[in-house]
Amino acid sequence: MNYLTELFDSQPVWVQSLAGLIALAAAALLVNYILKRVILRAAAPLLDEQTNTSDKAAAWLATVIPLLMISRGIVFVPNLNEAVTTVVVNVAQALIAISIAMGMVKGLTYLNELYERHPRSKNRPIKGFIQVVKIAVLCGAAIIMISVLIDESPLLLLSGLGAVTAVLLLVFKDTILSLVASVQLTTNDMLRVGDWIEMPSMNADGDVIDISLHTVKVQNFDKTIAYIPTHRLVSDSYRNWRGMSESGGRRIKRALMIDQNSVRFMSDDEVTGLKRFRVLKDYLAAKKQEIAEWNASELAGEDAINARRITNIGTLRAYIIGYLKSHPKINDQGFTLLVRQLPPGPEGLPIEVYCFTTTTNWGEYEGIQADVFDHLLAILPEFDLRIFQEPSGLDMRQLGAAS
């Protein structure tokens, strides 16, 4: 041992310093290897197996130990210039601040991943708040790192922030707006992951798949992705279809365009013929009694032209109401169900169907709506009514052939 000491002392000063630096670096690298390749790998089964975020957080924190060895051990390197020692110590301490900050950032990411596994996370996402904390941690680490490198107190740097507040507000304008918007969206329960939203101004029409501090990610129904700045969801208007999904019913609002030339009164024989429809029996009986009583009391020998009579369009409306109420997929319990006549126009007389299905599933909803209008279109001839349709090329050819 004495021989090695004498041999080391006999070497030039720069060789002694170089040997000390190599030994310190080798020791730090060896400890870093043991911590990350041996200890952390052995402890991996004890950590969360569903994600490697916790492993990354532990790896960043483990980096602190070899950096501490360098910052503390550099003073034992012989014949090293004091200025070099100070630089190495400051750089090592700055890297320690970065490692701790990155470990905290990864830890916060892991905390958010754990929270997202809970069903409540869809209603109350915390990703935006986690990102704000991350920004605060990184900003604090940056201040500490700069103060260590320039060998000044962090309070000195903080005291100078007042002069650049306006610049910081300008730089972080979107972050501040997004933070306020995230608080409003979460507090007022305006948006959740999984909501179907429609925002034409941002070409968004689909399901919300992610809510972060700066952006809300929406997967449109054509599988494209729309990114909406979070603050736009507070400043601009959009439609959230969550209420429809939670209600258990989806609205059908569509009109049949009836040819007004086919609207007329019905004869007694025609009315009698319609009684074969089960949904019209009660309506026709009540309507005939009501009209007969009115005519008997009001006409009093006047011309029959003044009498009230049953129309085919009115009977159609009654039929549609009865048909919808008897339809197993139409929900009339607690939901509006009506059939109304809208103002006539150049495209015919609109008979609007307004009701709700018993499901909110898009495919099932479209199937129910199509079935309902398939039936209504097919039943119109029974009432001697026609759908209005613009003349087609075939109509023009038939008209020309007839002339």
Side-chain angles (χ1 to χ4, degrees):
M1 189 68 178
N2 292 332
Y3 171 75
L4 293 176
T5 304
E6 293 176 358
L7 179 63
F8 182 80
D9 292 338
S10 65
Q11 300 300 317
V13 173
W14 68 271
V15 173
Q16 295 180 16
S17 299
L18 180 62
L21 290 174
I22 293 174
L24 180 61
L29 290 173
L30 178 63
V31 170
N32 186 67
Y33 179 85
I34 294 174
L35 287 172
K36 295 181 180 180
R37 301 292 181 177
V38 179
I39 296 179
L40 286 182
R41 284 193 175 183
L46 303 177
L47 299 176
D48 196 335
E49 296 181 355
Q50 298 184 32
T51 178
N52 62 353
T53 307
S54 56
D55 300 356
K56 293 180 180 179
W60 275 107
L61 294 176
T63 307
V64 173
I65 296 178
L67 290 173
L68 276 174
M69 291 179 59
I70 294 174
S71 66
R72 299 299 182 184
I74 192 68
V75 296
F76 297 104
V77 176
N79 306 312
L80 195 63
N81 187 281
E82 184 177 351
V84 175
T85 302
T86 302
V87 170
V88 173
V89 170
N90 290 346
V91 171
Q93 290 178 348
L95 293 176
I96 289 173
I98 294 176
S99 298
I100 294 175
M102 291 304 298
M104 294 176 64
V105 167
K106 293 298 181 182
L108 289 169
T109 302
Y110 178 62
L111 177 64
N112 183 62
E113 291 178 358
L114 289 177
Y115 180 74
E116 287 181 344
R117 297 175 191 174
H118 198 280
R120 185 173 54 183
S121 64
K122 291 185 177 181
N123 301 338
R124 292 286 188 273
I126 63 171
K127 187 174 182 179
F129 301 106
I130 293 291
Q131 289 179 325
V132 172
V133 177
K134 287 181 182 179
I135 292 175
V137 169
L138 293 175
C139 289
I143 292 173
I144 293 174
M145 182 183 68
I146 295 173
S147 66
V148 168
L149 290 175
I150 65 176
D151 201 16
E152 295 288 349
S153 171
L155 297 177
L156 181 63
L157 293 177
L158 291 174
S159 64
L161 290 179
V164 293
T165 300
V167 177
L168 291 176
L169 289 176
L170 182 62
V171 172
F172 293 103
K173 179 189 70 173
D174 291 338
T175 301
I176 295 172
L177 289 174
S178 298
L179 172 60
V180 174
S182 295
V183 172
Q184 289 180 304
L185 290 174
T186 304
T187 304
N188 299 324
D189 197 19
M190 297 168 61
L191 194 67
R192 303 176 188 171
V193 173
D195 283 356
W196 169 18
I197 67 171
E198 186 178 347
M199 195 173 187
S201 61
M202 300 298 295
N203 293 321
D205 183 13
D207 297 327
V208 176
I209 58 177
D210 184 57
I211 302 175
S212 62
L213 176 61
H214 293 96
T215 58
V216 171
K217 188 187 295 184
V218 178
Q219 185 175 50
N220 295 324
F221 294 123
D222 60 0
K223 299 305 179 183
T224 58
I225 303 296
Y227 295 90
I228 306 174
T230 307
H231 63 87
R232 292 289 297 273
L233 292 167
V234 175
S235 62
D236 296 355
S237 63
Y238 67 96
R239 176 180 293 180
N240 191 330
W241 292 84
R242 188 204 312 159
M244 178 272 296
S245 301
E246 293 178 346
S247 69
R250 187 168 178 181
R251 185 184 69 177
I252 294 176
K253 184 183 179 184
R254 183 180 290 183
L256 290 168
M257 307 304 294
I258 303 297
D259 186 349
Q260 299 175 70
N261 294 317
S262 63
V263 177
R264 62 176 179 81
F265 291 116
M266 301 186 71
S267 66
D268 292 338
D269 292 338
E270 289 174 325
V271 172
T272 302
L274 290 176
K275 288 183 178 180
R276 67 184 190 277
F277 292 111
R278 182 179 56 186
V279 297
L280 285 177
K281 286 183 178 179
D282 294 339
Y283 167 78
L284 290 175
K287 199 68 174 177
K288 286 188 69 174
Q289 182 179 355
E290 174 192 341
I291 291 175
E293 291 176 354
W294 188 92
N295 289 339
S297 62
E298 298 294 334
L299 286 183
E302 293 185 16
D303 194 293
I305 194 66
N306 297 312
R308 288 179 57 189
R309 287 179 283 177
I310 296 177
T311 62
N312 58 353
I313 192 71
T315 308
L316 173 67
R317 288 191 291 108
Y319 174 83
I320 296 175
I321 292 175
Y323 172 75
L324 294 176
K325 287 183 176 180
S326 64
H327 198 292
K329 297 296 184 180
I330 299 299
N331 196 337
D332 62 342
Q333 301 298 321
F335 290 89
T336 303
L337 189 155
L338 59 86
V339 178
R340 59 177 180 168
Q341 185 180 123
L342 300 180
E347 295 182 350
L349 176 64
I351 300 296
E352 185 180 76
V353 175
Y354 191 104
C355 61
F356 290 80
T357 62
T358 56
T359 179
T360 59
N361 180 273
W362 190 9
E364 294 178 6
Y365 161 80
E366 293 292 348
I368 294 169
Q369 181 174 240
D371 288 342
V372 167
F373 279 87
D374 288 348
H375 178 82
L376 296 181
L377 289 170
I379 205 70
L380 283 181
E382 295 289 342
F383 300 88
D384 198 22
L385 289 167
R386 297 186 301 273
I387 286 290
F388 181 89
Q389 179 175 299
E390 296 284 352
S392 65
L394 178 60
D395 296 326
M396 295 300 182
R397 286 196 299 270
Q398 291 176 346
L399 183 61
S403 60

